[in-house]
Amino acid sequence: MIAALPACLLGAGATTFAAGSARPRDISLKPLGLMLLGAAVALTATPALADQYRQAADNAEVTCVVSARELTRISLIGDAFASVSKITTGYPYNDFTVTNEPVRGDIYLSVPEGFAPGRLSFFATTRKGFVYKFACTVGGSEAEQVFITNPALAQPPEPSIATATPQDSALALVQSMATGGVPKGYQVRQTAASPLRVGDFSVRLISQYRGGGLLGKVLRVENRGNKTASLDPKVIAPGDALAVSIGASELAPRAATTLYVVQTDGAGA
């Protein structure tokens, strides 16, 4: 009678016998082998993706590989090319061709056989106002595709002053006044009003912004006292102001700052 050997002395694919049984019990790794075989078949059946994906920002450089014999397509996700700028050398083996396809806004590149430089570069402007610099190397003979994404396209647009909430519109108007800009739909009127005295401060209206149901005021505030004074915007700004911004809250004698006030047009104007 043959005694069964301990399993630890058997190989991974060995077969052992149960005591008193003439039929072998298979403890090999066939199921695992079948799983690995299935995975290999699945991987073989899926073609390798040769497309190039790039992420870029405005004015950034985009690297890519272009085909040495076939066309190379460059496509934008969420945008389209509007124009391409390149230098033409006049020598056939040094020049490459760029075609801006008008329907989808893609561009197609082709290089002549034996393209001498081995690299090419050009600038492209998109319909949404972005500019990219392309620096590409010449690769194999298969056609190439390059897809470009720009994270800035996924950001929601800033709310316009006309459609935002009154508070948001007031803050946006303050920012425009502080930078000297004029929001769309607003009119600016420069004034030559006489200064008013508020305590130790002299307050003079410089300009007014009207539009979108808002009134913005640019005020020049000067410390006419003999000591450094703290300026509380609430003392000068009206109580119904939607937004108030001040350049400096501490003013030395004869020093001045700018105060920006936004209120509802017609309320206390």
Side-chain angles (χ1 to χ4, degrees), residues 155-208:
Q155 298 177 359
E158 296 181 359
S160 64
I161 292 181
T163 59
T165 64
Q167 289 76 18
D168 291 339
S169 298
L171 292 175
L173 180 54
V174 167
Q175 293 176 355
S176 295
M177 292 190 298
T179 57
V182 181
K184 185 178 180 180
Y186 278 71
Q187 294 182 346
V188 181
R189 181 170 65 91
Q190 305 294 331
T191 63
S194 301
L196 300 176
R197 194 66 178 260
V198 181
D200 290 334
F201 298 103
S202 172
V203 182
R204 184 163 64 91
L205 179 63
I206 302 298
S207 59
Q208 288 184 335

Side-chain angles (χ1 to χ4, degrees), residues 1-202:
M1 183 174 183
I2 301 176
L5 292 176
C8 61
L9 299 180
L10 299 176
T15 301
T16 187
F17 293 88
S21 174
R23 187 176 181 179
R25 183 177 60 185
D26 190 356
I27 60 169
S28 67
L29 302 181
K30 285 183 180 180
L32 178 60
L34 292 175
M35 291 172 60
L36 294 176
L37 179 61
V41 172
L43 291 175
T44 305
T46 303
L49 296 177
D51 293 339
Q52 305 169 53
Y53 292 88
R54 302 290 185 268
Q55 186 178 93
D58 190 23
N59 300 313
E61 179 178 280
V62 180
T63 60
C64 68
V65 177
V66 299
S67 174
R69 295 179 180 271
E70 300 292 337
L71 289 176
T72 298
R73 174 196 176 206
I74 302 180
S75 180
L76 299 175
I77 299 176
D79 200 353
F81 289 107
S83 63
V84 176
S85 301
K86 63 178 289 289
I87 294 178
T88 302
T89 65
Y91 297 95
Y93 292 105
N94 289 340
D95 280 341
F96 61 95
T97 303
V98 181
T99 302
N100 193 176
E101 190 274 320
V103 177
R104 293 181 58 93
D106 297 339
I107 56 178
Y108 289 87
L109 303 174
S110 63
V111 299
E113 186 176 355
F115 182 61
R119 292 178 57 87
L120 58 88
S121 63
F122 61 95
F123 289 92
T125 304
T126 76
R127 294 177 185 173
K128 295 187 177 180
F130 296 98
V131 178
Y132 304 118
K133 173 190 174 183
F134 287 88
C136 305
T137 58
V138 179
S141 58
E142 295 294 327
E144 297 283 351
Q145 289 194 111
V146 183
F147 297 96
I148 300 172
T149 60
N150 188 332
L153 295 173
Q155 298 177 359
E158 296 181 359
S160 64
I161 292 181
T163 59
T165 64
Q167 289 76 18
D168 291 339
S169 298
L171 292 175
L173 180 54
V174 167
Q175 293 176 355
S176 295
M177 292 190 298
T179 57
V182 181
K184 185 178 180 180
Y186 278 71
Q187 294 182 346
V188 181
R189 181 170 65 91
Q190 305 294 331
T191 63
S194 301
L196 300 176
R197 194 66 178 260
V198 181
D200 290 334
F201 298 103
S202 172

